[in-house]
Amino acid sequence: MISVKDARALLFKLVSPLPSETVSLADSAGRCLAADVVATRDQPPFAASSMDGYAVKAAEVELHAMFKVVGEAAAGRRFQGTVGPGQAVRIFTGAPVPDGADFVVIQEDTDRRGDLLTIADEPGEKTNIRPAGADFKSGTKICAPKQLRPEDVALMAAMNIAEVPVARKPVVALISTGDELVMPGEIPGPDQIIASNTFGLKALLEKTGAHVRVLPIARDTQSSLETAFGLAEGADLVVTIGGASVGDYDLVSDVSSNLGMDRAFYKIRMRPGKPLMAGRLGQSAMVGLPGNPVSAMVCGYLFLVPMIRRMLGIQEVLQPFRTAKLAADISQNGPREHYMRAVLDYEGIRACDDQDSSLLSVLAQANALLVRPPDDPARSAGDEVQYLPI
Ligand code: AMP
Ligand code: MG
């Protein structure tokens, strides 16, 4: 058995960053930027009014000053002339500030009769003008690698970047194994249950940036598993769920070995999720997850998410553990690293009462995995502990 840290190091060696492809800006959210992109324009491209009001000369601005309104500047339609002494141009938010003007008196501070404009309230110091390039200048870069958030998409749009270079999505094939499993929506027999963690993992890995293929459930026979592995061909990562332990029907190890899996390790000194195997199988990396729903999901967070991040070219593949204060005492840990389902709120972090690795209802209530090192002594409320947000 190896530690979580060593297992992660070995898992990262099984995958490498994928080549890039180009997607349209509209499809780029959540993708990982594969090359720097550069603005080819300033934003705003001209000095622009930030308010509705009147563009005038700053030197002429004072309470009760009077101006003649000589034209209008709207967003998308500039005033063609120049603002002269004693003149004002009606201006709206986003419009280019006309030549000759360097101050916008906001509408609320003025009184207008026909073409005659009076500053009726103290206008203050603020010019209400956004200088050209105030947001970004031509040449401003968004640097790769970076997982693109909605905010980045908006910024790239403003930069007029319509085509975005991104890392190809890692393709993950998910194989559920077990005679007891049916797909959600099917009618289970009396001894059957629904394949659940399969769909939790699909959601988790897609959120991380992968493309996930859920394969038909493999039954607990050699031939059914072989068929499933055949269907998984071409995936960057093949993940089996269940059948990885030492029971009579746990065939993943044997079948993958027969197919030529080059195994990196088998068991991890952790709870939940001890029986986890990994290696290379043909052109794919392969990870055999334990079947218990919570174990599979926790291993997904700890091992699969970083593997996907590595394939996406993200440099910080490991999301760092955070610290929080315990809201309630916890007892001593055993010899295996423990990832306890826990709830973090304003009072601190609290381990859930029942840590059985089959309880999805407990996992669904949790928003953190409380990390307990091997043989960690009992800890009291107020002590600092580490956790991984989920
Ligand atoms: P196994 O590792 O195949 O012995 O499975 C351990 C436990 O996890 C058993 O109770 C299985 O029924 C359950 N299990 C295995 N795969 C899944 C799955 N995809 N969804 C829900 N439960 C599963
Ligand atoms: Mg099984």
Side-chain angles (χ1 to χ4, degrees):
M1 280 204 279
I2 61 173
S3 68
V4 169
K5 187 167 167 244
D6 292 346
R8 284 172 143 186
L10 289 171
L11 286 168
F12 298 155
K13 289 197 189 140
L14 299 178
V15 288
S16 24
L18 297 174
S20 66
E21 61 187 15
T22 302
V23 295
S24 72
L25 172 80
D27 295 325
S28 65
R31 304 296 300 267
C32 191
L33 191 65
D36 300 353
V37 289
V38 186
T40 52
R41 52 188 276 123
D42 293 350
Q43 176 59 24
F46 41 75
S49 179
S50 65
M51 299 295 274
D52 294 327
Y54 293 87
V56 297
K57 291 182 182 298
E60 298 177 349
V61 172
E62 61 180 350
L63 191 60
H64 306 312
M66 296 197 333
F67 302 85
K68 183 170 191 239
V69 179
V70 295
E72 182 183 287
R77 222 173 34 249
R78 71 173 55 231
F79 175 69
Q80 294 298 345
T82 300
V83 177
Q87 293 185 336
V89 163
R90 178 75 171 120
I91 196 164
F92 300 99
T93 305
V97 175
D99 291 344
D102 53 3
F103 196 99
V104 173
V105 184
I106 66 170
Q107 191 169 319
E108 291 84 341
D109 290 343
T110 63
D111 181 41
R112 181 169 172 182
R113 311 263 156 101
D115 287 345
L116 186 65
L117 181 79
T118 308
I119 298 182
D121 276 314
E122 187 52 61
E125 298 291 304
K126 199 165 161 264
T127 63
N128 303 307
I129 293 173
R130 298 181 180 131
D135 195 0
F136 55 81
K137 295 202 163 46
S138 176
T140 301
K141 269 188 198 164
I142 303 178
C143 292
K146 179 179 210 308
Q147 206 144 21
L148 296 168
R149 302 176 308 145
E151 297 75 11
D152 300 312
V153 176
L155 179 58
M156 289 190 297
M159 290 176 165
N160 204 12
I161 294 161
E163 303 277 311
V164 185
V166 294
R168 175 169 76 66
K169 279 190 177 199
V171 176
V172 181
L174 275 185
I175 304 175
S176 322
T177 73
D179 288 343
E180 76 282 27
L181 300 177
V182 299
M183 287 293 194
E186 290 179 1
I187 299 168
D191 299 334
Q192 289 189 302
I193 62 167
I194 318 296
S196 56
N197 52 33
T198 319
F199 293 88
L201 287 166
K202 177 180 191 298
L204 173 64
L205 301 184
E206 283 181 345
K207 191 171 132 200
T208 308
H211 172 75
V212 178
R213 290 162 47 202
V214 173
L215 299 185
I217 295 165
R219 299 305 166 195
D220 288 324
T221 64
Q222 219 150 327
S223 66
S224 183
L225 253 182
E226 280 166 9
T227 306
F229 276 117
L231 292 172
E233 226 166 273
D236 299 297
L237 173 62
V238 179
V239 177
T240 58
I241 305 163
S245 196
V246 292
D248 291 352
Y249 298 99
D250 292 330
L251 303 172
V252 170
S253 172
D254 283 354
V255 172
S256 56
S257 304
N258 292 345
L259 293 173
M261 205 232 317
D262 180 14
R263 186 184 284 171
F265 64 87
Y266 184 9
K267 285 179 180 154
I268 304 179
R269 208 179 307 114
M270 68 177 283
R271 277 197 300 159
K274 179 173 80 171
L276 187 143
M277 72 184 81
R280 290 287 310 180
L281 182 60
Q283 296 304 303
S284 315
M286 188 229 149
V287 174
L289 294 180
N292 262 318
V294 175
S295 312
M297 289 298 290
V298 169
C299 290
Y301 276 103
L302 289 176
F303 305 116
L304 301 185
V305 166
M307 289 174 87
I308 301 294
R309 287 167 67 86
R310 175 153 163 75
M311 285 191 269
L312 288 171
I314 296 171
Q315 261 145 14
E316 294 283 310
V317 283
L318 291 180
Q319 283 146 318
F321 293 154
R322 301 181 189 178
T323 53
K325 286 204 160 52
L326 278 176
D329 301 352
I330 44 176
S331 55
Q332 188 188 351
N333 188 32
R336 285 191 272 154
E337 203 166 315
H338 195 182
Y339 291 82
M340 304 179 83
R341 277 64 75 201
V343 175
L344 176 73
D345 61 20
Y346 61 93
E347 288 179 341
I349 191 164
R350 188 185 304 268
C352 299
D353 288 337
D354 198 334
Q355 294 289 327
D356 187 286
S357 61
S358 68
L359 304 178
L360 278 178
S361 54
V362 176
L363 182 67
Q365 278 165 21
N367 60 5
L369 296 174
L370 200 170
V371 185
R372 307 289 312 277
D375 302 312
D376 194 34
R379 306 233 169 233
S380 317
D383 286 356
E384 263 197 357
V385 290
Q386 292 202 303
Y387 73 96
L388 184 71
I390 59 170

